[in-house]
Amino acid sequence: MSRLRALWQASLNATKRALTWNVDDLIPPSEKSIFNFNSKEELKRWHLYSDSEYGGLSSASLEINNVGNGLKGIFSGHLSLDVAEDSKWNIRRGGFCGMRSKKFDGFIDLDAYDSIALKLKGDGRCYISTIPLARYLPTWRGNVIDAELEMNPSRILGMSLSVNAEGGVPGAKSGPGDFRVELEWIKALRTE
């Protein structure tokens, strides 16, 4: 008889929970973790790209290292404007590297959020990953695409961070040479 009573009580408790909803349950948290660069497993979620795919001489790496007070992702490499003489591609110069997340299982829904925050330590270069979701810019190989595209924040397939040897904000380090940025996490935030 006690087994039947326990089953009945569990059913009654589930019914009570279903009938007594809380408005706070409908509001997503103010932040959502997307990536944490605190384990070597995180490396499996990213792949690198650079102008070397087209005959350029830039190179990039992504590692998880113990830096200061914990593990961090280190995106680093070398930017070169030069192109290999035997390149089959018709490009005149190189100068970009990036890291792109592998596609999420399906997609990630960021509709409840208005910003993307990255905790990182840079090297003075300008890295491309526009922050307010409403102003996210489509990019290709480290350059902003001049197109009228609207992003659907409820169906995000992936994210990237890239660096270009030329351009950027005034005062930022530019030109060929080494780059390095330490990444701790990437989150979606609701700031409004």
Side-chain angles (χ1 to χ4, degrees):
M1 191 61 143
S2 65
R3 185 180 254 177
L4 183 59
R5 176 175 276 172
L7 184 59
W8 179 78
Q9 187 64 46
S11 177
L12 181 62
N13 290 343
T15 303
K16 283 182 184 177
R17 282 193 305 272
L19 294 175
T20 58
W21 60 275
N22 185 345
V23 72
D24 292 335
D25 295 337
L26 300 176
I27 300 172
S30 60
E31 66 180 47
K32 179 178 187 164
S33 177
I34 303 171
F35 297 104
N36 283 303
F37 296 89
N38 58 5
S39 80
K40 296 207 182 280
E41 287 295 308
E42 186 68 19
L43 297 176
K44 295 177 183 176
R45 300 178 69 192
W46 295 89
H47 71 267
L48 300 171
Y49 62 90
S50 72
D51 58 33
S52 65
E53 298 171 30
Y54 302 99
L57 300 178
S58 298
S59 61
S61 68
L62 178 62
E63 300 172 335
I64 303 293
N65 289 333
N66 196 356
V67 178
N69 60 353
L71 294 175
K72 303 219 176 25
I74 309 297
F75 173 51
S76 63
H78 185 80
L79 296 168
S80 174
L81 298 176
D82 297 329
V83 177
E85 289 182 22
D86 60 349
S87 173
K88 64 180 180 179
W89 299 92
N90 188 20
I91 62 171
R92 292 189 180 101
R93 67 171 184 236
F96 68 86
C97 292
M99 53 184 273
R100 181 179 303 113
S101 69
K102 294 180 179 174
K103 290 190 177 182
F104 298 113
D105 293 332
F107 57 86
I108 188 169
D109 184 353
L110 299 181
D111 197 36
Y113 304 94
D114 56 54
S115 298
I116 299 293
L118 296 87
K119 185 171 183 183
L120 56 82
K121 180 180 177 184
D123 60 359
R125 287 189 179 272
C126 184
Y127 291 83
I128 300 173
S129 188
T130 308
I131 305 306
L133 282 170
R135 296 181 56 205
Y136 238 79
L137 301 172
T139 62
W140 179 253
R141 302 296 187 202
N143 294 299
V144 175
I145 298 170
D146 202 14
E148 294 293 323
L149 298 173
E150 188 172 323
M151 185 182 76
N152 181 350
S154 67
R155 299 185 62 85
I156 305 298
L157 297 173
M159 298 180 169
S160 68
L161 181 68
S162 60
V163 61
N164 196 331
E166 296 183 334
V169 296
K173 181 180 175 182
S174 65
D178 293 338
F179 69 89
R180 176 186 165 97
V181 63
E182 297 173 11
L183 299 151
E184 195 165 329
W185 47 252
I186 300 175
K187 296 179 181 179
L189 303 176
R190 188 173 53 255
T191 60
E192 295 176 358

